[in-house]
Amino acid sequence: MSQSSPAPRRVVFQYLVPVHVEVEDGLVACVTVIDETPVRDPTIVEGDPAYLGEAVQAADDGQDWPSWRFGY
């Protein structure tokens, strides 16, 4: 008898965070995302809405974030 593994639970959400923007001579020189900001008012982008609470808790638990991706 084979055991099937449950489908992965995945949710993508977004929320607003403050950024620090440095402009020099009309050009953006640096943008710093302040990622220590607690997650507030998350919005589902895709995935299982029932998993949102657990996903937010995981994102807000102090673990290192794996990477940054800017733009769409």
Side-chain angles (χ1 to χ4, degrees):
M1 181 177 192
S2 66
Q3 290 182 322
S4 62
S5 58
R9 293 179 301 157
R10 181 174 188 272
V11 66
V12 177
F13 66 91
Q14 63 187 25
Y15 66 101
L16 299 177
V17 296
V19 295
H20 177 98
V21 180
E22 297 177 35
V23 178
E24 295 177 10
D25 297 324
L27 297 174
V28 175
C30 180
V31 176
T32 305
V33 176
I34 304 170
D35 64 345
E36 293 88 10
T37 303
V39 176
R40 279 198 218 141
D41 302 320
T43 302
I44 292 269
V45 174
E46 65 181 66
D48 182 359
Y51 181 49
L52 179 60
E54 192 175 337
V56 167
Q57 185 177 8
D60 214 15
D61 74 353
Q63 66 180 302
D64 291 337
W65 288 20
S67 65
W68 292 101
R69 182 172 64 186
F70 295 96
Y72 288 96

